[in-house]
Amino acid sequence: MSRPLHRGARISGSNNDLWDSQMKEKTEKEELDRRGSDQSYFALRFPFRLLLPDNSTPKNGIAENGFASDSLLVGSPRSKHRITMLLLKLSLVLIVILALTGSFWWAISISTTSRGHIFRGYRRLQEQLVLDLWDIGELSLGSSRLKELEFCPQDFENHVPCFNVSANLALGYSDGNEYDRLCGHEPRQNCLVLPPLNYKIPLRWPTGRDVIWFANVKITAQEVMSSGSLTKRMMMLDEEQISFRSASLMFDGIEDYSHQIAEMIGLRNESNFIHAGVRTILDIGCGYGSFGAHLFSNELLTMCIANYEALGSQVQLTLERGLPAMIASFSSKQLPYPSLSFDMLHCARCGIDWDQKDGIYLIEVDRVLKPGGYFVWTSPLTNFQGVLRTKERKKMGNFVRDFADKLCWEMLSQQDETIVWKKTSKRNCYNLRKPGSGPSLCGKNHDVESPYYQPLQACIAGAQSRRWIPIEERTSWPSRANLNKSELALYGLHPEEVADDTDNWKAAVRNYWSLLSPLIFSDHPKRPGDEDPSPPYNMLRNVLDMNANFGGFNSALLEARKSVWVMNVVPTNGPNYLPLIMDRGFVGVLHDWCESFPTYSRTYDLVHAAGLLSLEIGQQRRCTTLDLFSEIDRLLRPEGWVIFRDTAPLIESARTLTSRLKWDARVVEMESNSDERLLICQKPFFKRQAIQS
């Protein structure tokens, strides 16, 4: 800052020289004081600027007004003032350095808990930013983007995306591969699937297990009357209902059949399956689920799988009865289950040619079967005394028997058309085979935990897995749901971690039921069938957990004695705890939620999604939240429920979207965790005739 120019004339040698000299010294002193004050102000406001040269002083000491600047003369008042100001600047710089150093040491010494709080705070800010940008994008698109979704055409009633046999045939798929699940070949259409004409809410469990409404499934009366196989028997009670009741004389074969299998294993009856280590069963081509329905009373959980069928679907009818089922096929892809998942595999006239493709289907059976597990095959091909056996059928039967030996399966027994094999419990059995005899073992790097529709492998998987534990060495059900310390260590988990998760879900289930009970029994008319029981019994049956984690929600429901079964879904973009879930005696599947779930419309009474929105928002997604919600609507039965549990910003954003699907939605605050909210939604029951009128 240069000194101001005083324009008073100065005449040399005049009597006013003394006065001029005094005025000059006074002016310089005032100017010096003013400059010092200005420098102090800037030093306090911009301490780092003091480290730089003062740009107000021109080069070579020449000021802007043409006068030379004062030199720094030691001992003069001006020089002392400048030294004082320099020390003040250095002091301020030192204070800033000490403050930054202290802040740095505080940051690196922060506790783990505090780091978690900071991370969660950052995560919430990140989520809020994404949501704000999403809201801005929604508003920029105008009101047309916020309108309600339209209803789908009538041919969407039983449509299952990713399963289009005719389109697959047109693409050149054959030899059974036309039943493969192929996603992305058809345009995504977000619309609301209406139920069929005369659709009725399913009867409550257990009545709904034995009697279903004819209009709810796609099947003809002729198919019902012609269904004569052991697992496909049913009859029309009247024009509206189909019965599967085992009390009828034509159904007592299922009980005898189950009893026969138990005896072939060496048990007294089917009630002893649990004591032999059997809890979960994969029923291939299950008919209409009668085998699993009978075993359910013995605490056995049977998962039905079958090909997609446009008419008379085994999977659709089984789900309508309130039994576990999903679309899956033995063709060219592995099943979406980890290795060593099931205690028993059952095939009663399931229609699979086990001798095809050099036995690769039997290798897939071996992959998903636990050590010591059982494979039950019922087929006319196994009856060597049958008079109708052709040469080709006999050849197929012999191939299966020989190939089973190469897989280290032991044939326990054969009665009539049924054979029971037991998978080896000893790993060294594979090394004791003759060289070149049977399939080789898969390499150590072979992925056996995440087989998300990967091509079938011609090698034996799971033999080198740490999860190789024979079923007879596992604790029996229901103790099996609580894995011991050594079993949890296989997944890098501590018992305390799982125990905390279990306690949290127990409290959550109590809260859910206290919220849902008055809504179900007060807000809606009584459903057809038996009298409504007192809450919380039989409110729901088919439950889908979209982000199952450890399976804690499933465990809490069973411990609370709810009459439900849970499809535990592990998203492919999250941690894979599906092997843990299967080892606990539950059923589940891997799935990518940007793709349609392999099931028919109107399948589940309750869809549960805890933390799913947080998981999906951080991914490079190929789909939108509306795509996800449209799929949930397809899966839900009319008057079905959805529970979202997530952070408050995500829940509020999801709530705005529910109006587009015509859902009734309520946000519920959670007292135990102020960072989370519940969003409880119900899908209305829209009747087709009402829409058409």
Side-chain angles (χ1 to χ4, degrees), residues 251-400:
F251 292 104
D252 55 7
I254 284 291
E255 184 174 353
D256 293 340
Y257 176 66
S258 303
H259 188 85
Q260 175 188 350
I261 294 174
E263 288 183 336
M264 294 172 70
I265 291 177
L267 305 173
R268 184 175 180 180
N269 53 48
E270 61 268 33
S271 63
N272 296 116
F273 276 134
I274 288 287
H275 305 297
V278 177
R279 157 65 180 171
T280 55
I281 301 172
L282 184 64
D283 195 0
I284 307 167
C286 61
Y288 302 134
S290 296
F291 182 63
H294 174 70
L295 295 178
F296 188 82
S297 59
N298 295 310
E299 298 187 272
L300 299 178
L301 191 58
T302 303
M303 170 64 71
C304 162
I305 62 170
N307 287 337
Y308 166 77
E309 298 165 292
L311 191 66
S313 167
Q314 304 171 67
V315 171
Q316 187 181 42
L317 269 78
T318 300
L319 287 165
E320 189 67 19
R321 300 179 64 183
L323 300 168
M326 63 175 286
I327 302 173
S329 63
F330 279 82
S331 53
S332 63
K333 302 292 179 62
Q334 291 181 328
L335 299 172
Y337 311 117
S339 297
L340 318 179
S341 289
F342 293 94
D343 306 312
M344 178 185 288
L345 267 74
H346 174 253
C347 164
R349 302 190 179 188
C350 58
I352 296 178
D353 295 330
W354 296 110
D355 61 332
Q356 297 298 308
K357 299 184 179 180
D358 299 324
I360 199 169
Y361 298 145
L362 290 171
I363 296 176
E364 178 66 1
V365 169
D366 183 86
R367 184 186 72 82
V368 298
L369 196 59
K370 289 181 180 292
Y374 303 96
F375 177 55
V376 181
W377 184 34
T378 298
S379 170
L381 299 176
T382 64
N383 187 358
F384 287 91
Q385 305 302 321
V387 286
L388 298 179
R389 287 181 53 82
T390 64
K391 184 177 181 180
E392 289 186 0
R393 287 188 173 185
K394 185 176 181 179
K395 181 180 178 181
M396 176 181 175
N398 289 335
F399 176 87
V400 174

Side-chain angles (χ1 to χ4, degrees), residues 432-450:
L432 297 177
R433 297 175 301 172
K434 295 180 180 179
S437 174
S440 60
L441 298 182
C442 295
K444 292 183 178 181
N445 296 328
H446 180 68
D447 184 12
V448 297
E449 305 297 357
S450 304

Side-chain angles (χ1 to χ4, degrees), residues 425-631:
S425 299
K426 301 177 181 179
R427 302 187 206 222
N428 62 354
C429 175
Y430 303 110
N431 297 325
L432 297 177
R433 297 175 301 172
K434 295 180 180 179
S437 174
S440 60
L441 298 182
C442 295
K444 292 183 178 181
N445 296 328
H446 180 68
D447 184 12
V448 297
E449 305 297 357
S450 304
Y452 189 64
Y453 299 105
Q454 296 297 316
L456 288 170
Q457 300 291 326
C459 56
I460 298 176
Q464 303 181 65
S465 172
R466 296 181 301 168
R467 296 174 48 241
W468 182 281
I469 303 175
I471 61 173
E472 56 268 20
E473 296 180 11
R474 293 182 180 272
T475 56
S476 59
W477 181 265
S479 300
R480 177 171 163 182
N482 302 311
L483 301 183
N484 59 41
K485 183 177 181 179
S486 59
E487 290 173 324
L488 291 175
L490 298 176
Y491 309 97
L493 299 174
H494 298 285
E496 298 78 11
E497 186 177 359
V498 179
D500 290 343
D501 181 75
T502 301
D503 291 340
N504 291 336
W505 282 117
K506 287 180 182 178
V509 166
R510 288 194 297 268
N511 292 335
Y512 291 171
W513 246 248
S514 65
L515 291 169
L516 290 179
S517 296
L519 296 177
I520 290 179
F521 292 108
S522 299
D523 293 359
H524 302 278
K526 187 173 76 66
R527 289 147 171 77
D530 297 338
E531 291 295 323
D532 286 336
S534 300
Y537 303 104
N538 301 346
M539 294 163 55
L540 309 165
R541 175 57 186 169
N542 298 356
V543 177
L544 175 69
D545 193 356
M546 300 180 70
N547 187 23
N549 200 29
F550 303 152
F553 182 52
N554 191 158
S555 178
L557 286 171
L558 295 182
E559 191 161 331
R561 304 184 67 82
K562 310 301 180 187
S563 298
V564 302
W565 72 272
V566 180
M567 176 67 84
N568 295 280
V569 180
V570 175
T572 55
N573 60 337
N576 182 16
Y577 287 111
L578 184 57
L580 168 67
I581 291 172
M582 306 298 281
D583 286 349
R584 297 184 70 178
F586 307 144
V587 292
V589 66
L590 287 169
H591 186 65
D592 179 356
W593 282 116
C594 270
E595 300 172 352
S596 294
F597 195 71
T599 192
Y600 293 82
S601 300
R602 303 172 302 278
T603 292
Y604 291 98
D605 302 301
L606 171 66
V607 173
H608 178 254
L612 181 68
L613 300 177
S614 294
L615 179 65
E616 297 294 324
I617 201 172
Q619 304 292 325
Q620 286 283 13
R621 305 308 296 158
R622 310 184 311 278
C623 57
T624 65
T625 307
L626 182 61
D627 296 332
L628 178 66
F629 280 32
S630 299
E631 175 65 6

Side-chain angles (χ1 to χ4, degrees), residues 1-238:
M1 183 181 294
S2 60
R3 195 168 40 193
L5 175 63
H6 296 279
R7 299 186 180 276
R10 180 183 177 189
I11 302 175
S12 177
S14 70
N15 295 331
N16 294 330
D17 284 350
L18 179 61
W19 181 85
D20 288 342
S21 176
Q22 290 175 348
M23 288 299 297
K24 180 179 179 180
E25 291 177 1
K26 181 179 180 180
T27 302
E28 288 177 352
K29 184 176 181 181
E30 290 176 353
E31 175 66 15
L32 185 61
D33 291 341
R34 187 177 66 83
R35 290 178 61 187
S37 176
D38 291 344
Q39 291 283 2
S40 299
Y41 168 76
F42 281 102
L44 291 173
R45 188 166 184 180
F46 306 106
F48 287 99
R49 187 177 175 184
L50 301 177
L51 296 175
L52 304 174
D54 190 354
N55 293 332
S56 63
T57 304
K59 293 181 180 181
N60 303 323
I62 306 299
E64 291 177 356
N65 54 17
F67 283 75
S69 61
D70 297 326
S71 61
L72 183 61
L73 299 176
V74 179
S76 66
R78 185 178 302 170
S79 65
K80 291 180 179 179
H81 184 78
R82 289 189 175 183
I83 292 174
T84 303
M85 292 303 301
L86 180 61
L87 292 176
L88 179 60
K89 295 176 183 179
L90 293 175
S91 300
L92 288 173
V93 171
L94 182 61
I95 291 173
V96 171
I97 293 175
L98 291 175
L100 291 175
T101 304
S103 175
F104 172 75
W105 284 109
W106 172 82
I108 64 174
S109 62
I110 193 169
S111 65
T112 304
T113 304
S114 299
R115 286 182 191 142
H117 289 309
I118 291 175
F119 176 78
R120 286 193 295 271
Y122 170 76
R123 176 70 175 177
R124 285 196 296 271
L125 290 174
Q126 186 184 44
E127 290 174 353
Q128 187 61 54
L129 175 61
V130 173
L131 292 174
D132 290 344
L133 293 175
W134 183 83
D135 291 338
I136 293 172
E138 288 286 325
L139 293 174
S140 65
L141 292 174
S143 58
S144 61
R145 179 71 182 271
L146 301 176
K147 67 180 182 180
E148 293 182 344
L149 296 182
E150 298 180 353
F151 293 106
C152 301
Q154 186 173 354
D155 57 358
F156 273 63
E157 281 181 4
N158 298 284
H159 174 65
V160 181
C162 301
F163 291 92
N164 192 329
V165 177
S166 58
N168 291 348
L169 288 171
L171 291 172
Y173 293 93
S174 59
D175 297 330
N177 296 335
E178 65 269 20
Y179 297 103
D180 273 349
R181 177 178 178 274
L182 295 175
C183 296
H185 293 281
E186 52 186 340
R188 185 186 296 272
Q189 184 172 351
N190 289 327
C191 58
L192 305 180
V193 180
L194 282 171
L197 194 67
N198 301 324
Y199 179 89
K200 296 182 180 180
I201 300 297
L203 303 175
R204 291 185 176 277
W205 182 270
T207 304
R209 175 189 59 194
D210 302 322
V211 179
I212 66 172
W213 297 108
F214 177 72
N216 289 10
V217 293
K218 191 173 183 179
I219 192 171
T220 64
Q222 183 179 1
E223 286 181 300
V224 175
M225 302 307 296
S226 63
S227 56
S229 66
L230 184 66
T231 58
K232 284 190 174 182
R233 290 179 181 173
M234 55 185 171
M235 65 179 182
M236 295 290 295
L237 288 183
D238 50 39

